Amino acid sequence: MSSHSSSTSSQPAPFDLSAWRNVPTVLMVIGGIGAVAAAILDPKHAAFSYLTAYMFFLSFGLGGLILTILHHLFDAAWSVPIRRINEHLACLLPTLALLFIPILINVLMAGNDNIIYHWIVLLKEGKPDHAVTSKYPLFTVNSFVAAWVICGVVWTVLSRGLRKYSLEQDKTGSIECTRTLRRYAAVGVFLFAITLTLAAIMWMKALQHEWFSTMYGVYYFAGSTWTTLATVYLIVWLLQRQGPLREVVREKTFYFLGSLLFAFTVFYAYVTFFQYFIIWNANMPEETFFFVSREHGVWFWVSMVIIFGHFFGPFLTLLRIDVKLLPWVMIPLASWVWLMHYVDMTFNIMPVMFPEGPHVSWMDFACVAFIGGLLVKLFLKSLNAHPMFPQKDPRFAEAMDIYVPEGKLAQAVGARAAKATSGGKH
Amino acid sequence: MAATPKSYGLIAEFLTPADAMHAAEKVRDAGFRKWDVFTPFPVHGMDQAMGIKNSKVGYIAFAGGVTGYTSGMLMIWWMNAVDYPIMIGGKPMFSPFGAFPPCYELTILLGAFGSLFGMLFLNRLPRLHHPLLKHRRFALASHDRFFIVIETADPKYSETETRKLLESMGSKNIEVVEE
Amino acid sequence: MADVIANVEVKAPPAGLEREPLVLNQRSLGWISDAIAGVAEGKTPRWWWIAFIPSVIAMTVMTVMIVYLLSTGVGVWGPGHPVMWGWAIINFVWWIGIGHAGTLISAILFLLRQRWRTSINRAAEAMTIFAVMCAGIFPLIHIGRIWLGWWLFPLPNQNSIWPQFRSPLMWDVFAVSTYFTVSLLFWYMGLIPDLAVMRDRAKTKIRKFAYGLFSLGWTGSNRHWSNYEKAYLILAGLSTPLVLSVHSIVSMDFSVSQLPGWHTTIFPPYFVAGAVFSGFGMVLSLLIPLRTILKLEDIITVRHVELMCKVVLATGSIVGYAYAMEFFIAWYSGNPYERYAFINRAMGPYAWGYWVMIGCNVIVPQCFWFKSIRSNMLIVFILSIFVNIGMWFERFVIVVISLHRDFLPANWGYFKPTWVDITTYMGTFGLFFTLFLLFIRFMPIIAITEVKGVTPQADPHHPLGGAKPGGHH
């Protein structure tokens, strides 16, 4: 089996990360205090900052969930060694559902001046406009809460279930687990599509409730998966360097993750361009106001940052085949992807409060630190509590480039051939 | 052409891609220049075995794509904003958005021309005649056999030495190909 | 190697989860050449004539219909106020959508390293080209004064005017002509090594000459393969955004307008998914009978059919999401015209068309969740026909239902096709099948070199590596 190690023999030593051990806790505590202070000092701005950070981090949970679901639906082999990471990311969703509570508090308890959703203010003032009444019964406070409950329950059941049977397989090796996981994924992909769209519409698009676009759910999905892929790349790289995944991650793992990141870079641009372009071309005021307000003032330059930083930069960087394997390109790029996704969320949310241009405030940092610190803490906890990769997955051998006899040969050749010949890779 | 047939090179036949590949590694290490491997399908890893550098097709295709995009934008700008401006639906005379779809298509069209014709150019194709195509066993190169051909034009070529080298690689069938 | 792997128990996947090989029965490289090239050699079989003659007749009918249309005027078709776009545009979008599966198989699956594509890509690419030809007829003849069709291209004319590039119809011209050209190039490029195979096998002088000419002197040189593979990769990389853009641009014929039912932002990805969906339906309809008739079951295996069913399922579900979003956002928008357009679809006079669409495009593909259905060739074949029907109705729903009730009830109408509409459309099947049958008869319908490349013995590192000599030589 020694020939596998060509990529691992020259491995650099792991980083000494012990100094960073407490960083998530510190971030969470300081961020939490900051967020509470913000909510007292300037509840409206704090809520907008919090929503931006929230929609940003929700992407990671939803991205992890869809990557896990797609892994099972596609019966993929290459992503077996990294699936546990996706599962853990998805399992942040129950927490993320709870983290929405501050927004609920804003909606239910804040004064009319501080509620971030204008349509709720209109309802509370008893003078809803046509755009609100026509959306009855979806646009009522009860439905807003109900949507949250539905999303939270669906995400919890799906993410927990997908991890539960995966972990069970680690112990038993039963292929029934694989079958159960596929059933989860089959139902899950529909529920995922519905809940993601619901969340994107109710929590982000509804900030400007007069505006509508059928592409919006796809748009949020594209950005979320893009961000998650960059994150998974970074986590896999780190875990390979630190040891836990050293033996199971291959060049192809990084290559495929990088290629998917490239594909989603293009897909995001495709979706975003056409959403803009169709509205621009039809030129109907009931739709164009959304983009008109975002081409106003400094927001215009933010939109340029998105065009060049969210698309052209990563696109041109990832165009070359070999780049996907170069950590010194990919790791900075992953951080850049986070920044761009955050800018994208800001671009969607903040113009509602600040029509003239972005206001970078300490509150933004506090909210990001709080949610980010908490989620990283939870992620590391679950990462350390379970095996790092699904060892008894029936596709594991294939993922390791070990020759697996196909079809009828499987019985004829058997495991002996598999053992004797596994070291073929140059 | 001379009356007596000149020889083009030595052709050695192999039964498996692995044999051909290991042989190719040795030919490469022996320092030959004018030689080639002929296979019924692209064999994975053969480029390294032969020591071939990365193909240059990409640059030609890229140049095609850039030409397509810029010429498209210039054409549309000139036709719709300069030579025959006409107001349509309150849109600007020229907008990079409105012009984008056709320019995008032109990018791909010229990029595709670049890659196919670039490939043919780099391979010096089409050619109507090739000495190997007359050789009676060479038809198997498109069927299930693997051939290594070392040309007489190679400075290291020597009828007996080269034949010995090829024999040492396990080829059962070595013949001289005539020009 | 470290302990982690050594400790992991590596065993073959249990029954039901093992991967099926791409070429069954451990066929040799020579057998692959013989089986595929053999289809285009030898005596013309009877079934071919039985299929070919009606196809040519249908094609002739189409030609007669086009002559009738051009000599009489577009009034021989059904469109008229308020439905000014009728079957011509439906058929155009339908045929061009079918083409998309070919490009998806040849380009996108290539980029995704889905090696199973090799058994089906050649036929699917041929289908693309013929489908785009059928599609291209309609916009050309529906302009009425066909002799002015060249005004669509930026060519200098005696009026010194230029085409108007802000119109999506102009984008269509560029998209469709680029699509046709690039598909043809891609197809031809894949054919070059296979034509060399045909040349080397040819027994008659004419065949030797013809295949020799079109194979451009291909020798299988590895120096050539190196450039070839790179160029193929680039062409695949270019075709992928192309195929996405073509149907996106087709969708903009509708979506950049302001008409309720047409103007919606999800149209581009929804059209692309629908196109792939219908294209795979057509590939299944074509290849399931062919693999039996031509005895190619070892190359186009049940696994291939199953995988195609899965693509149909995935794209059908995406289309279903788009239908749902359209309906939901029409309601969400609060715009009474938007809302009415969709209620009218589901409950108006053309409700039957809408529900045929939903049934065929959303419900039918859900059957493919079940392995028992996916691996039953007869049922898959029947369901694939439903997919084709459903996608035709989708375009019918978009074009006719959105148009037939204008903003004012005074402008309401009910569109009916004429017999010329119907026979012209039926006739395009004649054109399509004539070309496809000629392709079967004279070209390698499966990519010989590529299928060889995915067999275990083609991999020099493979434990079973080492070709077994075989075949007719």
Side-chain angles (χ1 to χ4, degrees), chain C residues 368-442:
Chain C
F368 291 141
W369 282 108
F370 305 100
K371 194 182 168 77
S372 52
I373 293 181
R374 289 199 305 265
S375 46
N376 184 322
M377 294 301 114
L378 182 65
I379 295 181
V380 173
F381 178 72
I382 294 169
L383 293 184
S384 75
I385 304 275
F386 278 116
V387 168
N388 287 312
I389 295 172
M391 281 312 287
W392 191 88
F393 271 95
E394 180 192 295
R395 280 65 180 247
F396 179 83
V397 165
I398 293 170
V399 174
V400 171
I401 305 189
S402 306
L403 283 172
H404 87 115
R405 288 194 167 171
D406 211 337
F407 293 92
L408 291 173
N411 292 333
W412 287 8
Y414 193 88
F415 168 84
K416 280 198 188 94
T418 65
W419 65 276
V420 186
D421 275 316
I422 297 166
T423 38
T424 312
Y425 174 54
M426 293 300 156
T428 53
F429 285 95
L431 173 66
F432 179 82
F433 282 107
T434 304
L435 293 168
F436 200 79
L437 287 162
L438 287 171
F439 159 72
I440 293 174
R441 196 63 208 108
F442 294 106

Side-chain angles (χ1 to χ4, degrees), chain A residues 214-215 270 278, chain C residues 247-248 250-252 254-256 261-273 326 342 345 398:
Chain A
T214 39
M215 191 80 109
Y270 169 75
I278 288 171
Chain C
H247 229 60
S248 301
V250 169
S251 84
M252 282 196 285
F254 305 101
S255 60
V256 298
W262 285 9
H263 176 69
T264 172
T265 48
I266 206 169
F267 254 32
Y270 148 45
F271 264 51
V272 173
E326 276 187 314
F342 281 88
R345 276 187 186 179
I398 293 170

Side-chain angles (χ1 to χ4, degrees), chain A residues 97-263:
Chain A
L98 294 179
L99 283 169
F100 192 69
I101 289 174
I103 303 292
L104 284 178
I105 292 174
N106 174 276
V107 165
L108 297 173
M109 292 156 77
N112 283 355
D113 292 344
N114 290 324
I115 293 178
I116 56 175
Y117 296 100
H118 186 56
W119 65 269
I120 292 181
V121 179
L122 291 176
L123 273 182
K124 287 196 174 174
E125 286 173 348
K127 42 181 183 186
D129 59 11
H130 172 73
V132 180
T133 47
S134 64
K135 294 186 196 34
Y136 180 86
L138 182 66
F139 271 42
T140 56
V141 175
N142 288 341
S143 298
F144 189 80
V145 178
W148 169 67
V149 173
I150 291 169
C151 289
V153 169
V154 166
W155 295 340
T156 307
V157 170
L158 278 181
S159 60
R160 291 280 164 166
L162 282 166
R163 190 171 69 176
K164 184 183 159 202
Y165 289 98
S166 178
L167 290 172
E168 195 178 304
Q169 193 172 47
D170 280 356
K171 298 198 189 84
T172 62
S174 156
I175 69 155
E176 270 317 303
C177 294
T178 300
R179 294 189 200 283
T180 313
L181 286 167
R182 286 187 187 171
R183 275 182 220 117
Y184 260 92
V187 180
V189 72
F190 292 102
L191 294 175
F192 171 84
I194 294 167
T195 48
L196 178 138
T197 312
L198 188 64
I201 290 176
M202 290 304 280
W203 300 348
M204 204 152 65
K205 185 155 91 169
L207 286 167
Q208 281 166 303
H209 65 279
E210 305 90 343
W211 190 64
F212 52 92
S213 164
T214 39
M215 191 80 109
Y216 204 74
V218 186
Y219 166 75
Y220 185 63
F221 162 75
S224 295
T225 314
W226 185 65
T227 315
T228 311
L229 284 164
T231 313
V232 172
Y233 191 103
L234 188 130
I235 296 173
V236 172
W237 177 76
L238 207 58
L239 286 178
Q240 189 207 26
R241 177 101 184 212
Q242 299 307 98
L245 290 184
R246 175 164 297 184
E247 309 304 336
V248 293
V249 168
R250 297 276 176 277
E251 237 178 30
K252 68 175 179 186
T253 321
F254 291 110
Y255 180 73
F256 289 160
L257 277 173
S259 303
L260 277 174
L261 183 66
F262 179 66

Side-chain angles (χ1 to χ4, degrees), chain C residues 295-323:
Chain C
K295 305 207 169 31
L296 292 171
E297 287 103 330
D298 282 353
I299 300 178
I300 304 172
T301 67
V302 175
R303 178 181 171 191
H304 290 97
V305 174
E306 270 202 63
L307 286 165
M308 286 191 268
C309 290
K310 288 180 187 174
V311 177
V312 169
L313 170 60
T315 46
S317 304
I318 295 173
V319 167
Y321 173 84
Y323 293 157

Side-chain angles (χ1 to χ4, degrees), chain A residues 36 43 70 73-74 101 135 235 262 274 282 301 330-331 383:
Chain A
V36 172
L70 291 180
L73 288 183
F74 281 96
I101 289 174
K135 294 186 196 34
I235 296 173
F262 179 66
F274 277 111
W301 298 105
M330 294 302 289
I331 301 308
L383 196 65

